[in-house]
Amino acid sequence: MKKRSILLNGMALVTAVVAVLFIAAAPHEEVDIPKETWSFQGFFGKFDQAQVKRGFQVYKDVCSACHAMNLMSYRNLAQIGFSEDEIKEIAASVQVTDGPNDAGDMFERAGKPSDTFKPPFANEQAARAANNGALPPDLSLIARSRAGKGFAGYEGADYIHAILTGYKEPPAGFQLQDGMNYNEYFRGHQIAMPQPLSDGAVTFADGAPNTLEDESRDVAAFLSWAGEPNLEARHLTGLKAVLFLVVFTLLFYAVKRKVWSKIH
Amino acid sequence: MTAVFKNPVIRWIDHRLPVFSYLQHEANDYPTPKNLSYWWNFGSIAGFMLMVMIATGIFLAMQYTPHVDHAFNSVERIMRDVNYGWMLRYLHMNGASMFFIAVYIHIFRGIYYGSFKAPRELLWIIGVLILLLMMATAFMGYVLPWGQMSFWGATVITNLFSAIPVVGDSIVTLLWGGFAVDNPTLNRFFSLHYLLPFVILGVVVVHVLALHRFGSNNPTGIDMKGPQDSIPFHPYYTVKDMYGLGVFMLFYAFWVFFAPVALGDPDNFIPANPLSTPEHIVPEWYFLPFYAILRSIPDKLTGVLAMGASIAVLFILPWLDRSPVRSGAYRPAFKRFFWTLVFVCAILMFAGKYAPANYWLPFELTIVPPEYMAAQAHLESVDALWPISFAGGHFGIQIITLGQIATVYYFAFFLVILPLLSIFERTLPLPLSISKAVLESHGGGAQSSSAAAKEKA
Ligand code: HEM
């Protein structure tokens, strides 16, 4: 038993190598999405509140013309630092249909913080009709559903940033269909969404720089927050859990050593 | 048999209902081989994971809505609005993976050390039954959040049953509760997903009862011969199990808190849409080896049968491996084939992940589509490609070929190699007893002479 067979260890090693290959070997992607650094990545990652707030402004001023966010309510904005009054004001800026009232009629009223973000279109057909037959997807979970083969889950932000900054002139000879736009990072390079952002497209309330790059990063951060509003709680609870488990494990390791010392 | 307890209340109860004597006997004094390695920790870890799954599952079910129009959003509500709902869901989601990791290690441990051999055949068979039940439970659970992969995974897997002659289509209709994966499917899957873990719990109890009949096997594979070979379960293995559990929970916590979706598919964050098929439909990692076996055979029925056989073969393992020596530690040839099997299962997992037509370029650590290889070879047509290709200086193996080679080895291991090894292998001398082996491994003594390999019951 003492002489471990070299072969045994060898095979274990091979297995480990294959496991690594398995993780490393990625399908040959047509394009590599550029990696960005985000404040919310890593064990201690947190959202940059000012950035997420600016990102909401980009969504509200630009993206919300086409994209719904069904999972978000105005009240959720409190988490990224909007005051109660600001939230009331933002909600009240839209008219929503409510009812039926006592007379049995539907009626229009100003939005309330408990309402979900008002969608731009009444239904899928209307959305397609307004967008050349293409459907602008709901953005609530876009950062999560576009995370690709990403490991930690924040790769969706890289993708959003890439798409928004990836509009280029099509290379010579590229067959662009009618109403489509060339995008370096979209699968197949033809996207139905016209370039939504450009330098100076949004003027930020906090006066932050508003190049295409800044706007794209800010809205990507906002959509990452919307995709997982509890990310910070997760990281914080995780650190506490790990701390507890390390103590727990060391304790039982010590007890185990003590108890077994009588046997060995 | 009844133990004597100091506490009068306990004594009163125990006299009428000897649960305390039973516990004392089965969990406290229970004689256990003194030489169990850390590979023996995974049984109790699997039990722990079952408890975690049931506990988190019950709380998830309080907020979950099994209806095609609400399931996806109800899960997102759990993630967003229920206090610590995100934690429950991540614990449950990653818990399934942890459960499978523990059980797969547990099974490989059993194969390596011959724990399935007499007199533990029934114990082993009950274990394989647990694996089957787990697979059914995890499959149905994955359908519940009703994302794209939930829906399309359910469609692909349930459709497999249609390959069965005569009754296939009726089975599929029964599973669906209609003529497509739809609301009735979701409802029955939820009902069964709630039920099966408790069935598993029952089978686990039987598993442990069968275990306690002869006690644990051990790294030497020889039986306990007397008190010098065994120690009471408590405190020795209770503390060792707790220590192992701590390490495992750290591993689990890493996934739950720092990479909670790494093991899942991002497409499941898109609500199910029967009108839009995802580009790649892949099952969760723990089903990939079986999926690879299924896909390595072009004929649907044969593929389904092979997939079923890959588990069925485990049921008859005690009668395939007839070597009188239990432990792989004393079986030099077996050891090699065993580790090759582990390696092959990793390959199968890999092959299950990618589309069969793609090529794997091992030296470039990448997977490329056949079109790419065709272009490298300056071929007009993709059909002209070979399973193994050197196009443009790239060495590539087609994923399906890789899967086929691995599938052949998988079955050969059980059906050919093990029976032959039982006859031809020259095993190493066994230690005289467990306590002798323990002493030797601590630097003591002479080469042991052989002991009777295994006592038939
Ligand atoms: C053998 C134990 C179990 C296994 C292996 C298992 C596995 C799974 C899996 C893989 C999912 C999908 C996770 C996801 O992608 O979101 C799931 C979801 C779910 N399970 Fe379980 N489960 C088990 C026990 C239970 C029990 C006992 C209950 C209820 C009493 C339960 C209730 C649920 C519910 C409500 C969901 C949907 C919510 C969600 O997707 O997170 N599970 N299960």
Side-chain angles (χ1 to χ4, degrees):
Chain A
M1 283 283 280
K2 207 173 181 193
K3 278 177 271 157
R4 283 270 178 91
S5 117
I6 297 172
L7 202 111
L8 193 145
N9 290 329
M11 290 308 292
L13 193 75
V14 174
T15 311
V17 169
V18 167
V20 172
L21 291 192
F22 178 57
I23 294 165
H28 196 77
E29 309 258 0
E30 287 172 65
V31 277
D32 285 326
I33 303 296
K35 288 261 166 292
E36 295 279 311
T37 1
W38 302 100
S39 67
F40 43 90
Q41 73 194 44
F43 289 93
F44 300 94
K46 277 184 167 39
F47 290 110
D48 170 350
Q49 226 181 53
Q51 182 183 39
V52 173
K53 247 175 127 168
R54 288 196 300 274
F56 169 69
Q57 200 190 331
V58 177
Y59 169 75
K60 187 164 77 75
D61 293 356
V62 182
C63 323
S64 67
C66 301
H67 292 279
M69 287 185 85
N70 280 329
L71 295 172
M72 301 302 290
S73 302
Y74 295 106
R75 67 180 164 82
N76 296 134
L77 295 173
Q79 207 194 350
I80 54 172
F82 283 96
S83 71
E84 214 170 306
D85 289 335
E86 284 171 318
I87 293 172
K88 277 193 186 134
E89 200 185 307
I90 293 167
S93 69
V94 299
Q95 289 290 309
V96 298
T97 310
D98 202 347
N101 61 15
D102 291 344
D105 300 321
M106 303 302 279
F107 58 92
E108 294 282 309
R109 64 160 170 80
K112 293 188 288 197
S114 57
D115 288 328
T116 51
F117 285 10
K118 189 184 178 178
F121 302 105
N123 49 51
E124 180 180 334
Q125 286 75 358
R128 282 190 190 277
N131 283 284
N132 235 332
L135 179 69
D138 188 286
L139 292 185
S140 316
L141 286 167
I142 201 83
R144 313 209 81 183
S145 63
R146 298 299 192 275
K149 299 269 175 302
F151 188 79
Y154 53 76
E155 292 81 354
D158 293 338
Y159 178 79
I160 295 166
H161 167 264
I163 286 286
L164 294 174
T165 54
Y167 287 87
K168 300 267 149 70
E169 278 304 312
F174 189 87
Q175 296 283 328
L176 201 60
Q177 283 166 343
D178 244 14
M180 298 296 262
N181 307 277
Y182 185 83
N183 191 305
E184 205 175 342
Y185 299 110
F186 191 65
R187 188 162 31 81
H189 300 306
Q190 304 209 39
I191 187 164
M193 168 167 70
Q195 175 164 2
L197 295 175
S198 55
D199 290 343
V202 183
T203 308
F204 289 121
D206 66 358
N210 57 352
T211 63
L212 169 61
E213 174 67 23
D214 295 311
E215 294 163 353
S216 308
R217 280 186 59 90
D218 293 352
V219 77
F222 165 71
L223 293 173
S224 301
W225 168 74
E228 193 184 12
N230 287 316
L231 175 139
E232 285 178 20
R234 165 161 73 77
H235 285 171
L236 204 67
T237 318
L239 291 172
K240 286 185 206 152
V242 166
L243 209 67
F244 168 78
L245 287 174
V246 166
V247 173
F248 175 96
T249 307
L250 288 177
L251 198 74
F252 274 104
Y253 179 66
V255 176
K256 191 250 163 199
R257 292 279 306 237
K258 181 92 185 16
V259 168
W260 279 77
S261 63
K262 293 174 224 149
I263 300 287
H264 290 316
Chain B
M1 267 271 281
T2 48
V4 180
F5 296 94
K6 282 206 201 80
N7 186 322
V9 181
I10 291 191
R11 211 174 329 132
W12 188 91
I13 296 175
D14 198 65
H15 185 65
R16 289 150 183 86
L17 178 71
V19 277
F20 296 103
S21 292
Y22 181 81
L23 283 177
Q24 170 79 17
H25 185 247
E26 296 298 323
N28 213 36
D29 312 335
Y30 177 58
T32 312
K34 63 203 288 186
N35 61 335
L36 298 188
S37 67
Y38 281 104
W39 295 117
W40 266 260
N41 277 54
F42 289 93
S44 69
I45 289 174
F48 170 77
M49 284 318 303
L50 178 62
M51 295 305 157
V52 171
M53 295 309 283
I54 290 180
T56 53
I58 287 175
F59 284 100
L60 284 172
M62 291 177 188
Q63 311 283 346
Y64 170 78
T65 312
H67 186 285
V68 289
D69 293 337
H70 306 292
F72 186 90
N73 281 350
S74 76
V75 171
E76 275 304 320
R77 283 224 153 261
I78 293 173
M79 297 286 285
R80 287 154 191 270
D81 294 339
V82 174
N83 288 326
Y84 286 98
W86 57 269
M87 193 156 95
L88 281 178
R89 204 246 176 148
Y90 287 150
L91 281 169
H92 198 76
M93 213 165 131
N94 290 283
S97 288
M98 297 304 121
F99 198 2
F100 275 96
I101 288 176
V103 165
Y104 284 155
I105 294 177
H106 191 64
I107 292 173
F108 276 120
R109 188 283 318 263
I111 296 177
Y112 185 81
Y113 291 107
S115 303
F116 54 86
K117 293 186 184 184
R120 297 187 181 82
E121 301 96 321
L122 259 183
L123 171 61
W124 174 260
I125 289 171
I126 293 165
V128 182
L129 193 67
I130 295 173
L131 174 65
L132 273 180
L133 286 166
M134 271 175 70
M135 294 173 98
T137 308
F139 165 65
M140 292 194 255
Y142 192 63
V143 178
L144 302 186
W146 207 244
Q148 272 291 66
M149 232 11 107
S150 300
F151 178 86
W152 290 98
T155 304
V156 170
I157 302 301
T158 48
N159 256 315
L160 293 178
F161 289 90
S162 70
I164 301 169
V166 190
V167 290
D169 286 330
S170 316
I171 294 181
V172 176
T173 310
L174 195 70
L175 284 172
W176 286 347
F179 299 100
V181 174
D182 207 336
N183 203 45
T185 327
L186 180 59
N187 275 292
R188 59 195 57 197
F189 279 19
F190 180 52
S191 167
L192 292 174
H193 185 71
Y194 209 136
L195 170 70
L196 285 186
F198 295 93
V199 176
I200 295 177
L201 190 62
V203 182
V204 167
V205 169
V206 180
H207 189 69
V208 172
L209 282 178
L211 169 71
H212 282 219
R213 175 75 177 86
F214 294 102
S216 293
N217 183 27
N218 66 83
T220 66
I222 58 180
D223 289 338
M224 291 183 277
K225 304 232 166 71
Q228 74 284 1
D229 287 345
S230 74
I231 43 179
F233 191 81
H234 182 74
Y236 295 103
Y237 286 108
T238 37
V239 290
K240 193 173 176 181
D241 276 349
M242 287 304 277
Y243 166 51
L245 185 63
V247 175
F248 192 82
M249 283 196 294
L250 270 168
F251 177 70
Y252 183 15
F254 166 77
W255 295 100
V256 167
F257 295 107
F258 301 107
V261 293
L263 296 168
D265 195 302
D267 272 5
N268 234 22
F269 280 112
I270 305 171
N273 180 354
L275 300 177
S276 142
T277 319
E279 234 184 315
H280 304 291
I281 302 175
V282 265
E284 293 291 89
W285 70 267
Y286 38 80
F287 292 135
L288 287 175
F290 305 100
Y291 197 52
I293 291 177
L294 169 81
R295 289 202 300 187
S296 66
I297 299 169
D299 177 63
K300 191 172 171 188
L301 178 58
T302 322
V304 172
L305 289 177
M307 185 166 72
S310 65
I311 302 223
V313 78
L314 293 175
F315 280 113
I316 54 166
L317 181 57
W319 296 275
L320 294 171
D321 181 353
R322 321 253 351 178
S323 170
V325 174
R326 283 202 194 101
S327 170
Y330 305 99
R331 303 181 59 191
F334 167 84
K335 212 185 261 182
R336 278 158 223 202
F337 289 112
F338 171 83
W339 286 107
T340 311
L341 177 75
V342 175
F343 175 71
V344 159
C345 288
I347 297 267
L348 279 172
M349 207 162 115
F350 180 77
K353 176 112 185 146
Y354 299 107
N358 284 346
Y359 281 83
W360 179 43
L361 312 187
F363 300 111
E364 289 157 54
L365 291 190
T366 181
I367 307 266
V368 298
E371 297 80 25
Y372 176 84
M373 287 308 260
Q376 297 300 312
H378 309 290
L379 293 171
E380 287 288 303
S381 139
V382 171
D383 307 333
L385 284 166
W386 291 85
I388 290 177
S389 161
F390 292 92
H394 298 286
F395 170 63
I397 307 173
Q398 219 170 13
I399 295 289
I400 185 166
T401 315
L402 202 66
Q404 283 165 340
I405 297 170
T407 301
V408 168
Y409 182 85
Y410 182 91
F411 285 107
F413 175 84
F414 290 105
L415 299 175
V416 182
I417 296 170
L418 285 184
L420 289 181
L421 280 184
S422 324
I423 305 170
F424 295 110
E425 186 176 33
R426 294 186 53 191
T427 56
L428 301 179
L430 294 173
L432 275 173
S433 72
I434 291 174
S435 49
K436 278 256 164 52
V438 171
L439 284 177
E440 272 167 31
S441 76
H442 283 281
Q447 188 68 40
S448 54
S449 49
S450 53
K454 106 185 156 192
E455 294 87 80
K456 292 267 173 185

